[in-house]
Amino acid sequence: MKYAEVILPLPLYSTFTYKVPDTMADSLSIGFRVLVPFGRKKFYTGIVEMLHNRQPEGYEVKEIISVLDSNSILRHPQLKFWQWISEYYLCSLGEVYKAAVPAGMKVESETYVSANPDFIDSDHSMKERETVIYDLLSTRDKLTPADIAKATGYKNVEAIVASMIEKEAIFISEKIVDNYRPKTEIFVKLNAEKGDNEKVGQFFEAVKSAKKQEAALLAYLDLSKWMQRGEAAEVSREALKERSEASNTILKAMSDKGIFTLYKKEINRFASNSSSQKELTQLSDIQQKALNEITESFKTHGVTLLHGVTSSGKTEIYTYLIDRVLKAGRQVLYLVPEIALTTQLTQRLQRIFGDRLLIYHSKFSDNERVDIWKRLLQDGEPAVIIGVRSSVFLPFSQLGLVIVDEEHETSYKQFDPAPRYNARNAAIVLASMHGAKTLLGSATPSIETYFNATTGKFGLVKLLQRHEGIQMPEVTIIDTLKARKKREMRGAFSTALIDECAEAIKRDEQAIIFQNRRGFAPIVRCKECAWTPKCENCDVTLTYHKRLNELSCHYCGHSMPLPDFCPACRQPTLEIIGYGTERIEDTVEKELFPGVKIARMDLDTTRSKSSYEKIIDSFSNRRTQILIGTQMVTKGLDFEGVSVVGIINADNVINFPDFRSNERAFNMMEQVAGRAGRKHRQGKVLIQTTMPDHPIIKYVVDHDYEGYYAYELEQRQRTNYPPFSRIINIYLKHRDDNTLTEMSVRFSNMLRQIFGKRVLGPESPLIARIQQLYIRQIMLKMETTASMSAVKQILRNVYEQSLSDARMKSVIVYYDVDPM
């Protein structure tokens, strides 16, 4: 008997053994998807990790239900890469699988609930909510718990359903759900063999009195290359309609006459088509020198850092490297931190690489992501894939180069759910497994990356002049405390910033306003009693969104209408305090620059797949003159018309209780400053702050990355933070604060017995409760040489020992390695 070790998309620290039926023994291999039973009535799509003949002992082994593939959906070394992610980031292999493979490729069972028609509540044990649900189910065939929650508005429906199952008031059943829907297209076929001109002549005779049908027949012969040598090309109905201006009715009539056959065919949404390559942009002498240095560095280093200032032309260098790798018959992964960047880069790279360019990001539907996955599996042709962090999980076959643009960006870090990986670090490991090279690019490299580059672990190439002689922008600091005393502030804007924006607009140039806080205002408060609305699920105040006229929590999504009266003192004295991007937009549009075209780019305005593209396209083509945004506008976007950048409140990014706050502040301000500047005019950046003497501000003014790096490295070495140590944050969550306090102290003490002074905490994080769960944080400061596999095993053992206290079983524990 053959057995399979199967990975399930669950947070469980092992694979599961299943029998391989004799009928599947010859058709099953590693990397195949299989449908397997799990638990009492659940079904999941698992992936075969191993095949063997060892019969497990001590439990009954279930059989695989079906094999879903005729070929593996994984390529070497994907499973090895998954295992590295699991080991390094202290999570299960199932969690990696769940994150890596598109949902459309994971068939799962879904619980359906139906009423028991023979149930009689003879002892009147049914509660009011149970009765409501039973009555609802009596009028429907089957509903999922989610459907019931939506129809009734009840929370915790699963618990109510469980109670009703015990009373035998309802039945449950499982339905296998396949979320993937292939894209299909209707094609047209001529009912004649190629070369059968007599039959074609008969068809022309049949349509000679119907001019539109005759036009459709002629168009088909042209599109299918009927008169040329070789097989006839397939012709889609849409292509034929466009060429002949025939309607569906006309084609149906021709089908009824026996001229055409219409058939449906599954197609790949991202099918490859040949495309002629455009010429690469000529490099400047400085760019060519940097390209030569990168080539030399790759001979001795697997990873090279390109430290290039903003607008130095790093992208042009990337295109030459990509072109070289594609000509060698290999693939390129081009990682960017934000979907906004894929939008802008796509247009530039498509002009050069045509249909060899693929895009992959989270705004795509499951179906679109499945089709990209399948295309990479099926053809393995040279291609460049541009995408965000999840792109590292795609099935590459001939990976030759990985480019990580804006490598310092925190967006490369996955926060929730697991695996909490950093795509930059994961991409370096992925490239090494493929024997590929990695190029990291940034104007403001992360401290760890620059440390590795200056100590010889990575190669280092510098590009410290802007392209075509553009000057670095002039940075002006505005002390908002002094400006308010002099009455030089209008709301959140200094008069200096207003004047510079006005001058730019007069010159037909553009401005960017940066405020790293979305919504209209962060605080609503009663003038009379100081009441502020807080989230009922999290320890945060609610943010006011004016256009929705609601107060919203940015952590759990809870919302409520803005009350007309203070709920505490019943007075109409609520005031709006502070500025988010929505309020900045409102102020600019109505008070400062009425009539000027304005766009806003934040999470609220970029929820759809096309929203990024519309905003960026409009600003790039000068249809909007002022762009207001959060950190999205700092991430490598290229707008040649921008001459003024305003940072509304630098204090927001500096004053954060975290060892990376200086790094984030410098990077964010230097990056957004880099959006300013034109060929014939030096750009201007105005930074508004109450702390003009802060050292980070000084380094931004001087565009002095080296000075900032030396300052920050000294701080990190003194406090033993990365790159001199490795940080692992351990989070514990529970609904009861007292229980969590006891359990977190006990858990940290158990860790101290092994790790000693490397353990810090537990302590409450800045936001101590999210989604009704209280949080404690324990920090491990490990040596950089420590084995993560060994650390994972120790943490696992400590956790299992902690379960001797039954209360620990209800505590959620997870790990964040290399937190950002």
Side-chain angles (χ1 to χ4, degrees):
M1 175 64 74
K2 188 181 281 188
Y3 296 90
E5 295 300 319
V6 176
I7 306 167
L8 297 180
L10 300 169
L12 302 171
Y13 283 84
S14 65
T15 55
F16 293 85
T17 309
Y18 288 88
K19 283 181 190 175
V20 180
D22 292 339
T23 55
M24 301 178 190
D26 296 331
S27 61
L28 190 62
S29 188
I30 291 171
F32 278 49
R33 292 180 305 153
V34 288
L35 188 64
V36 295
F38 186 79
R40 293 178 65 188
K41 289 190 176 182
K42 283 283 185 183
F43 300 90
Y44 289 100
T45 297
I47 290 186
V48 177
E49 185 209 32
M50 184 194 303
L51 293 167
H52 59 82
N53 298 312
R54 300 184 305 275
Q55 182 175 352
E57 296 180 0
Y59 62 91
E60 181 184 354
V61 182
K62 297 178 181 179
E63 277 195 351
I64 292 171
I65 294 172
S66 64
V67 179
L68 302 177
D69 303 297
S70 56
N71 292 291
S72 171
I73 69 156
L74 305 180
R75 287 187 182 274
H76 178 77
Q78 273 181 288
L79 272 177
K80 183 181 175 184
F81 180 59
W82 289 10
Q83 287 160 351
W84 178 83
I85 293 270
S86 170
E87 290 292 337
Y88 187 84
Y89 291 103
L90 309 180
C91 63
S92 73
L93 200 56
E95 288 171 313
V96 181
Y97 160 39
K98 188 171 184 179
V101 177
M105 298 178 76
K106 296 193 285 283
V107 179
E108 295 186 3
S109 64
E110 191 167 320
T111 303
Y112 280 80
V113 183
S114 56
N116 177 1
D118 300 324
F119 174 72
I120 300 174
D121 188 17
S122 56
D123 56 358
H124 303 291
S125 61
M126 290 272 281
K127 297 176 182 176
E128 181 185 348
R129 291 192 169 196
E130 292 174 345
T131 303
V132 170
I133 290 176
Y134 184 83
D135 291 342
L136 173 67
L137 290 170
S138 297
T139 64
R140 310 280 184 92
D141 181 23
K142 291 178 180 179
L143 291 175
T144 65
D147 293 334
I148 295 170
K150 187 175 180 180
T152 61
Y154 295 160
K155 294 181 179 178
N156 201 16
V157 165
E158 289 80 1
I160 305 172
V161 166
S163 172
M164 295 175 73
I165 291 169
E166 288 181 13
K167 295 171 183 173
E168 297 185 354
I170 58 175
F171 299 130
I172 62 168
S173 61
E174 298 292 326
K175 177 184 176 184
I176 304 301
V177 178
D178 185 351
N179 293 317
Y180 175 61
R181 295 292 178 271
K183 183 178 180 181
T184 59
E185 194 167 334
I186 294 174
F187 284 79
V188 181
K189 183 178 184 295
L190 190 66
N191 292 327
E193 294 296 323
K194 193 169 183 187
D196 189 350
N197 295 330
E198 184 179 342
K199 193 70 176 283
V200 174
Q202 292 172 10
F203 291 157
F204 273 110
E205 186 67 26
V207 299
K208 65 180 181 180
S209 59
K211 295 301 180 186
K212 290 187 177 179
Q213 292 184 22
E214 186 178 49
L217 182 54
L218 283 167
Y220 176 87
L221 296 176
D222 183 32
L223 288 169
S224 65
K225 299 179 172 58
W226 188 267
M227 304 305 293
Q228 298 176 22
R229 290 184 179 181
E231 290 186 14
E234 282 192 297
V235 178
S236 71
R237 185 174 66 177
E238 290 305 310
L240 183 56
K241 285 166 61 178
E242 185 178 344
R243 175 68 66 89
S244 65
E245 298 182 354
S247 65
N248 287 340
T249 306
I250 290 169
L251 298 180
K252 173 71 165 54
M254 296 178 75
S255 175
D256 292 341
K257 289 179 179 179
I259 299 171
F260 287 149
T261 293
L262 303 180
Y263 63 97
K264 188 181 288 187
K265 179 183 174 183
E266 181 180 333
I267 63 169
N268 192 304
R269 288 173 175 82
F270 301 93
S272 177
N273 294 307
S274 61
S275 177
S276 57
Q277 181 176 318
K278 308 297 185 297
E279 288 295 320
L280 293 167
T281 305
Q282 186 68 38
L283 296 181
S284 68
D285 292 342
I286 295 171
Q287 288 174 318
Q288 186 62 52
K289 180 174 179 289
L291 177 62
N292 295 340
E293 289 177 6
I294 292 168
T295 303
E296 285 301 309
S297 177
F298 278 159
K299 292 178 181 177
T300 54
H301 294 91
V303 183
T304 293
L305 169 66
L306 174 60
H307 179 204
V309 296
T310 54
S311 299
S312 57
K314 295 187 290 292
T315 305
E316 281 73 23
I317 295 173
Y318 298 159
T319 59
Y320 272 77
L321 291 167
I322 292 167
D323 184 60
R324 190 181 298 170
V325 173
L326 293 180
K327 285 177 177 174
R330 305 190 72 181
Q331 297 168 328
V332 179
L333 172 59
Y334 190 149
L335 282 177
V336 292
E338 284 280 357
I339 296 168
L341 272 180
T342 68
T343 299
Q344 194 172 53
L345 274 171
T346 297
Q347 297 168 356
R348 296 172 69 177
L349 296 183
Q350 270 180 340
R351 287 194 291 268
I352 302 171
F353 303 112
D355 291 323
R356 289 183 294 173
L357 178 72
L358 293 175
I359 305 101
Y360 190 82
H361 57 64
S362 59
K363 292 290 183 183
F364 279 1
S365 68
D366 281 335
N367 291 335
E368 290 171 316
R369 279 182 275 179
V370 170
D371 279 348
I372 291 176
W373 189 287
K374 285 185 173 181
R375 173 173 168 182
L376 286 174
L377 271 181
Q378 289 163 3
D379 61 27
E381 290 295 311
V384 52
I385 294 88
I386 180 171
V388 292
R389 59 175 180 258
S390 58
S391 305
V392 297
F393 293 118
L394 286 167
F396 300 100
S397 57
Q398 296 288 329
L399 192 60
L401 174 67
V402 175
I403 296 170
V404 185
D405 198 17
E406 309 296 339
E407 66 81 28
H408 64 278
E409 274 292 344
T410 56
S411 299
Y412 284 124
K413 174 72 172 176
Q414 164 77 11
F415 290 99
D416 274 314
R420 296 170 177 85
Y421 66 101
N422 187 312
R424 175 197 62 204
N425 299 344
I428 291 171
V429 172
L430 177 69
S432 69
M433 288 181 178
H434 280 270
K437 300 296 183 181
T438 303
L439 181 65
L440 309 177
S442 178
T444 55
S446 68
I447 296 297
E448 288 95 322
T449 296
Y450 205 68
F451 180 78
N452 286 333
T454 53
T455 54
K457 184 177 180 180
F458 296 168
L460 176 61
V461 175
K462 295 185 179 183
L463 187 63
L464 302 181
Q465 291 183 39
R466 286 183 135 189
H467 189 47
E468 295 184 338
I470 300 172
Q471 290 180 283
M472 292 297 288
E474 174 192 347
V475 181
T476 301
I477 304 301
I478 297 166
D479 185 338
T480 52
L481 291 177
K482 289 182 179 178
R484 289 195 188 283
K485 288 180 181 177
K486 295 179 179 179
R487 297 186 177 181
E488 294 175 351
M489 296 290 293
R490 289 181 61 182
F493 287 80
S494 63
T495 53
L497 177 55
I498 295 168
D499 292 343
E500 289 294 347
C501 288
E503 286 298 316
I505 291 167
K506 281 182 185 176
R507 296 191 300 264
D508 197 28
E509 296 169 352
Q510 295 168 295
I512 290 177
I513 307 296
F514 171 67
Q515 169 71 332
N516 202 31
R517 179 175 279 155
R518 67 185 175 98
F520 190 82
I523 299 172
V524 173
R525 186 176 64 192
C526 176
K527 295 177 185 177
E528 200 67 35
C529 69
W531 171 86
T532 56
K534 294 188 176 180
C535 178
E536 61 183 33
N537 303 314
C538 313
D539 285 346
V540 294
T541 56
L542 297 177
T543 300
Y544 177 51
H545 291 256
K546 185 178 180 181
R547 292 191 180 178
L548 299 173
N549 194 37
E550 69 177 20
L551 299 160
S552 176
C553 174
H554 290 173
Y555 289 87
C556 73
H558 168 73
S559 62
M560 59 179 281
L562 179 69
D564 295 322
F565 297 88
C566 171
C569 67
R570 305 303 300 167
Q571 296 299 310
T573 49
L574 294 178
E575 62 176 341
I576 308 295
I577 300 173
Y579 286 81
T581 49
E582 188 183 3
R583 191 174 189 182
I584 296 293
E585 178 189 31
D586 199 59
T587 303
V588 170
E589 195 170 41
K590 294 179 181 177
E591 298 177 24
L592 303 181
F593 301 104
V596 171
K597 292 182 179 177
I598 296 161
R600 172 165 57 98
M601 190 160 74
D602 57 25
L603 189 62
D604 297 321
T605 62
T606 56
R607 295 192 184 274
S608 70
K609 184 167 72 174
S610 61
S611 51
Y612 285 97
E613 191 172 337
K614 288 176 182 175
I615 294 169
I616 291 168
D617 181 67
S618 177
F619 196 65
S620 296
N621 292 305
R622 311 287 188 94
R623 291 193 296 273
T624 48
Q625 294 163 285
I626 299 177
L627 178 63
I628 297 157
T630 56
Q631 57 184 331
M632 288 181 184
V633 301
T634 72
K635 301 184 180 183
L637 294 168
D638 183 19
F639 303 117
E640 66 174 23
V642 175
S643 62
V644 174
V645 167
I647 298 176
I648 293 295
N649 187 356
D651 304 0
N652 280 349
V653 290
I654 295 173
N655 294 330
F656 200 83
D658 177 72
F659 78 93
R660 291 192 191 275
S661 61
N662 282 346
E663 182 177 6
R664 272 195 300 269
F666 177 84
N667 290 351
M668 209 172 283
M669 286 189 283
E670 184 65 16
Q671 287 286 338
V672 75
R675 303 313 113 211
R678 303 187 66 195
K679 292 179 184 178
H680 307 296
R681 187 186 299 278
Q682 184 181 25
K684 291 190 177 181
V685 179
L686 292 89
I687 300 177
Q688 299 182 169
T689 177
T690 62
M691 303 180 295
D693 297 324
H694 194 285
I696 296 302
I697 300 282
K698 175 182 177 296
Y699 294 126
V700 173
V701 171
D702 296 336
H703 303 291
D704 182 10
Y705 176 82
E706 296 282 354
Y708 153 72
Y709 170 74
Y711 166 81
E712 186 65 21
L713 196 67
E714 191 274 329
Q715 305 284 322
R716 299 276 185 95
Q717 189 167 24
R718 189 158 41 84
T719 52
N720 192 31
Y721 275 111
F724 303 102
S725 66
R726 173 173 289 133
I727 301 297
I728 303 171
N729 281 338
I730 305 169
Y731 291 95
L732 297 90
K733 294 183 176 182
H734 197 275
R735 289 184 179 276
D736 182 73
D737 195 25
N738 293 328
T739 299
L740 182 61
T741 299
E742 290 184 46
M743 292 299 96
S744 60
V745 169
R746 183 170 176 267
F747 194 75
S748 64
N749 288 338
M750 293 172 72
L751 290 173
R752 280 191 182 89
Q753 291 175 14
I754 301 169
F755 294 112
K757 293 182 180 179
R758 298 178 186 88
V759 181
L760 302 173
E763 62 181 20
S764 296
L766 187 63
I767 310 298
R769 185 175 65 107
I770 295 176
Q771 295 182 343
Q772 297 188 347
L773 292 172
Y774 292 93
I775 308 169
R776 294 292 184 276
Q777 176 185 316
I778 300 168
M779 181 184 287
L780 273 183
K781 276 188 180 180
M782 300 300 300
E783 292 80 3
T784 55
T785 54
S787 163
M788 292 304 291
S789 178
V791 171
K792 181 179 182 179
Q793 190 56 53
I794 292 170
L795 290 172
R796 186 70 193 161
N797 293 340
V798 170
Y799 174 71
E800 289 175 356
Q801 292 169 25
S802 72
L803 295 177
S804 60
D805 188 322
R807 294 175 297 173
M808 192 67 184
K809 294 176 182 177
S810 60
V811 177
I812 299 169
V813 180
Y814 64 88
Y815 311 96
D816 186 8
V817 180
D818 301 335
M820 299 292 284

